[in-house]
Amino acid sequence: PDVPLYVAPSETPYSILSPKGHCICPSCGHVEIAKLGKGKNKKVNLTLLVHPEWLAGSPKTAADGTEFGGSAQDSVKDTIAWDAERASKLRLLEVRGALPDSVTCPETNVTFETGKDGGTVPKKSNYACGSCGTVQDVLKTIKASKKTGPMAGYAVQAFSPHRKEEKVPYGGRYFLPYKERLAEQYDAAQAEWDRRKETDLADLWPKSELPYGFMTHHLQGGVPNHGFTHWWTMFNPRQLLVHTQLLKAILEVGDYDWKTREFIIGGFQQYLRNQCLFSFWNPQRDTPEPMFSNNNYHPKSTLIENCVFASLGRGNWASSTEGAIQAREWAIHPWEAVSVETLRRTHPEIASETSGKSEKVYAGDPLIGADVLQASSTELEHYADSSLDLVITDPPFGGLLHYSELSDFFYVWMRLPLKEKYPDIFGPEYTPKSMEAVANKAREPEDPDGFYQRLLTACWAEAHRALKPGGMLAFTFHHSEDAPWVSVLESLFDSGFYLEATYPIRSDETKGDGEFGSKTIEYDIIHVCRKRTEEPKEVSWGRMRREVLADVKQLQGMLENHAKAGLPAADLQVIRRGKALEYFSRHYGKVYVDEGRAISVKDALVGINQLIDEDSSQGSEPPPLNAEPITRQFLRIFDGKTEVARDQMQKMMRGSGIAPDEFTGRDWAYEEKKVFHFADPLEFAQDWQGKHKRRLTSDLDQALVLIGSCYDGSGINASDTLKNENFKPHAALKRLLEWLAKRAPNQTMRNASSRAMTIYNSWAEANKAAVAQMSLFQEDGA
């Protein structure tokens, strides 16, 4: 209301019914009382636009030479001048109907673009000067200023109970232009904050800098480069005034006991993320979104300032404390959710009276107390050896989320009222980080993944110590990629656990697009583990593979029934993979692919993925079964091909447990212009022969060297290569040569593979004892 209205040319004629029943003809202006029956709701497109006059910006200084502020680091005087300047130029325009490519303001007669050619954001992370049109990088500009970008309001979403009673569209909500009166209100709060921030409110706001970390200094170009150098810069002056007064009231008002005050601090923590400069407007949902909706410190362009004591809306004080109240009610009368789908199978008479997906069921038993301790999972000194029946945990997901760095946002505020009460926990300026089990490139730049795995192993080992011999360890792990999962499993098995069972559950989390705080989690896996009470038995990879395959086939009937009942294919794969991992974990460290060489978790996972996915290769001859898993994966991808496009490579390797750099790192392939090429066996053989003659243990390494030696003009004696002390033939070498003689990507390589096969057969005839020893690791061997 109260701003110019532009009606799109595509909008059909309309009349708005007044509260007294009058309507005006849009063509001739005739007024008549309308007698309407029961109406139907009709959706109307309404768009609020900011006028180009405001988007044109303002100069650096006022006419009297006053420098405009607006940044967190600017003085109150300069920011008041800035607010007045911006508010004086503000115009909004409302458009009814589908938004056209251009509109004309009825007050100023200015026509301007509304689509991609309009506004001041020509492309991501850039802005165009509203006066001269020069395009510049946002971060580069803000970084040079050494301050946050100047901020100014342009609209307020308001609510009118009177409008709601009159049933005006939009439920009584409406938008106000952020004009002089609203700017003066903000400036009054800013001036009050400036007077009180070093007096009665001095001890109630954080003054520390952002500590160096991955989430704060490595992402988004470095958050301090956006001007957010201290924690208080993440809040505007009015928000700081609100937060400090809330804390002051929580600590001082009335004669409440400390437990009550501490309970309310929990609501204050939730309110922090709804009332800061990282809270933003979600136009799709038409609602505010709190900070950490995506778990990062990404600066926002559509930031909002939320309300405090409003009676409606998301993220105000009432809704932020609601969760704490509900938790207390649950503790008094605990309930569980029962699936309506389960009720249909077990109690159809009850299910017929329910709706939705679940129903609350009150358990009728009290919630018993528990000891809550803060400690590192690597040092559970308060638990004696073999004293626990069950350990349940949720380990960090590799390097995806660095919880200590994210939690500092809350901690620096929470420690202010709590540091005197709990000096051991809230005394330090920041959360403890040195023992956090994550792969943090900022704190451990040399080997972040190795640090993560070592610390995770120490955590599992401590749980192993405290568990009884028959105790269980259970944990859930968000599964979207295999690399972090491999680290978790290796550390788990190294600590003396084996997998008893795995259970897939549908995940309720989505992290969006991108690397941090933004991954789509396909499913979670609950892992149930037990302590290994005896040494694992030795077994060949071939033997274990056969046992797993036989057991998985026994599950086939059950899996088919689950599939018919609607269990997703991804979950069925997790069940199969879990069964295979159970076998592997029982023999961990003693599963051999070659004499004296145990298979790693990573390679085993690759092999297991191939095993459960073997149906997809029907119609073509698969690589030899006794080849190493990573070799089979490579040959499946390059079956008859000399090159594979990067996007195709990534699609084919998704869910396999490995990435393309596993191939390039072994020199089996190289990437050029987004295309992966099969390595030249001749160059591979010459590199091994002429430079360092490293020990060749991998089956494909041996095959490529032997094949390269058989190229015309190689200058390498293939027979002598087989006798080299650094070349102890692999059990799969013969079958690899046979396979490549038929399916290598070009005729030259196939011919060389055939010659290599002949030379290998001659060697095998002369070395029957060595061949017999190798047979232990053949697909049909022990």
Side-chain angles (χ1 to χ4, degrees), residues 198-275:
E198 298 300 343
T199 55
D200 66 314
L201 303 177
D203 296 329
L204 297 171
W205 58 283
K207 302 176 179 64
S208 54
E209 290 186 60
L210 271 67
Y212 179 74
F214 187 76
M215 304 297 286
T216 52
H217 290 70
H218 283 229
L219 301 182
Q220 288 85 45
V223 179
N225 290 330
H226 289 269
F228 299 107
T229 55
H230 296 68
W231 294 108
W232 60 267
T233 62
M234 294 184 177
F235 306 84
N236 72 30
R238 182 157 56 188
Q239 290 171 334
L240 290 168
L241 181 64
V242 166
H243 289 325
T244 50
Q245 289 186 102
L246 281 172
L247 266 186
K248 186 179 178 68
I250 291 170
L251 294 176
E252 297 178 2
V253 166
D255 58 355
Y256 302 100
D257 63 24
W258 177 252
K259 285 185 179 181
T260 302
R261 299 184 192 276
E262 197 170 294
F263 182 76
I264 305 304
I265 290 174
F268 175 79
Q269 173 179 307
Q270 180 70 1
Y271 186 58
L272 282 172
R273 62 191 290 254
N274 286 280
Q275 182 72 299

Side-chain angles (χ1 to χ4, degrees), residues 553-581:
K553 285 181 177 177
Q554 287 184 356
L555 292 173
Q556 196 61 33
M558 179 194 73
L559 296 176
E560 287 174 358
N561 288 333
H562 281 308
K564 290 176 183 176
L567 192 66
D571 289 343
L572 298 174
Q573 291 293 73
V574 173
I575 293 171
R576 294 186 181 99
R577 189 178 349 194
K579 179 58 65 176
L581 282 171

Side-chain angles (χ1 to χ4, degrees), residues 53-65:
E53 193 174 307
W54 189 83
L55 293 175
S58 297
K60 186 177 181 180
T61 58
D64 62 0

Side-chain angles (χ1 to χ4, degrees), residues 544-555 583 611:
M544 198 199 89
R545 186 178 58 244
R546 289 198 315 281
E547 291 178 353
V548 168
L549 190 57
D551 209 62
V552 168
K553 285 181 177 177
Q554 287 184 356
L555 292 173
Y583 274 99
L611 189 68

Side-chain angles (χ1 to χ4, degrees), residues 15-309:
S15 179
I16 298 176
L17 195 68
S18 73
K20 295 182 179 181
H22 294 96
C23 62
I24 302 172
C25 176
S27 299
C28 67
H30 176 72
V31 179
E32 188 169 314
I33 295 177
K35 296 180 179 179
L36 303 175
K38 187 175 182 180
K40 294 181 180 180
N41 289 331
K42 175 187 175 182
K43 289 186 177 181
V44 179
N45 281 334
L46 292 168
T47 306
L48 197 61
L49 301 177
V50 180
H51 197 283
E53 193 174 307
W54 189 83
L55 293 175
S58 297
K60 186 177 181 180
T61 58
D64 62 0
T66 302
E67 188 164 319
F68 290 135
S71 299
Q73 293 84 351
D74 288 325
S75 69
V76 174
K77 177 185 174 185
D78 291 347
T79 296
I80 288 176
W82 162 262
D83 292 337
E85 159 70 12
R86 299 308 290 140
S88 68
K89 293 184 176 181
L90 180 65
R91 283 182 182 275
L92 300 180
L93 173 66
E94 189 170 34
V95 179
R96 179 184 174 114
L99 187 65
D101 290 335
S102 64
V103 300
T104 301
C105 175
E107 278 190 352
T108 63
N109 291 322
V110 172
T111 299
F112 56 95
E113 302 294 323
T114 65
K116 63 180 182 180
D117 295 326
T120 57
V121 185
K123 57 183 179 179
K124 185 178 179 181
S125 303
N126 285 259
Y127 69 96
C129 175
S131 297
C132 67
T134 303
V135 176
Q136 298 187 65
D137 180 83
V138 173
L139 179 57
K140 185 177 180 181
T141 303
I142 294 178
K143 185 178 179 181
S145 74
K146 295 182 168 43
K147 299 187 291 186
T148 61
M151 301 177 194
Y154 52 86
V156 172
Q157 189 186 54
F159 171 73
S160 166
H162 178 65
R163 287 174 182 267
K164 185 177 182 181
E165 287 172 9
E166 291 188 345
K167 297 185 178 180
V168 173
Y170 206 35
R173 291 180 291 167
Y174 62 99
F175 287 94
L176 284 174
Y178 194 86
K179 297 291 284 184
E180 287 87 348
R181 182 177 65 86
L182 292 169
E184 288 169 2
Q185 290 178 354
Y186 176 82
D187 293 336
Q190 184 178 200
E192 181 179 350
W193 168 246
D194 196 55
R195 290 194 306 271
R196 299 178 63 186
K197 67 181 182 181
E198 298 300 343
T199 55
D200 66 314
L201 303 177
D203 296 329
L204 297 171
W205 58 283
K207 302 176 179 64
S208 54
E209 290 186 60
L210 271 67
Y212 179 74
F214 187 76
M215 304 297 286
T216 52
H217 290 70
H218 283 229
L219 301 182
Q220 288 85 45
V223 179
N225 290 330
H226 289 269
F228 299 107
T229 55
H230 296 68
W231 294 108
W232 60 267
T233 62
M234 294 184 177
F235 306 84
N236 72 30
R238 182 157 56 188
Q239 290 171 334
L240 290 168
L241 181 64
V242 166
H243 289 325
T244 50
Q245 289 186 102
L246 281 172
L247 266 186
K248 186 179 178 68
I250 291 170
L251 294 176
E252 297 178 2
V253 166
D255 58 355
Y256 302 100
D257 63 24
W258 177 252
K259 285 185 179 181
T260 302
R261 299 184 192 276
E262 197 170 294
F263 182 76
I264 305 304
I265 290 174
F268 175 79
Q269 173 179 307
Q270 180 70 1
Y271 186 58
L272 282 172
R273 62 191 290 254
N274 286 280
Q275 182 72 299
C276 67
L277 297 181
F278 287 74
S279 308
F280 61 100
W281 185 259
N282 183 338
Q284 283 75 38
R285 295 184 58 189
D286 193 29
T287 183
E289 294 285 354
M291 184 175 190
F292 298 135
S293 297
N294 277 347
N295 297 312
N296 53 42
Y297 287 101
H298 192 289
K300 305 298 189 294
S301 58
T302 56
L303 58 92
I304 61 165
E305 181 183 358
N306 212 330
C307 53
V308 188
F309 297 121

Side-chain angles (χ1 to χ4, degrees), residues 597-610:
R597 189 159 66 92
I599 193 171
S600 67
V601 171
K602 185 185 220 175
D603 286 351
L605 190 58
V606 174
I608 288 167
N609 284 332
Q610 292 168 1

Side-chain angles (χ1 to χ4, degrees), residues 12 40 112 119 194 213 224 257 312 458 472 493 500 505 530 552 630 643 731 756 758 775:
T12 56
K40 294 181 180 180
F112 56 95
D194 196 55
D257 63 24
L312 79 168
M472 288 195 300
F493 301 156
E500 178 78 16
I505 56 174
R530 289 193 185 274
V552 168
I630 193 168
E643 59 185 47
T758 301
S775 69

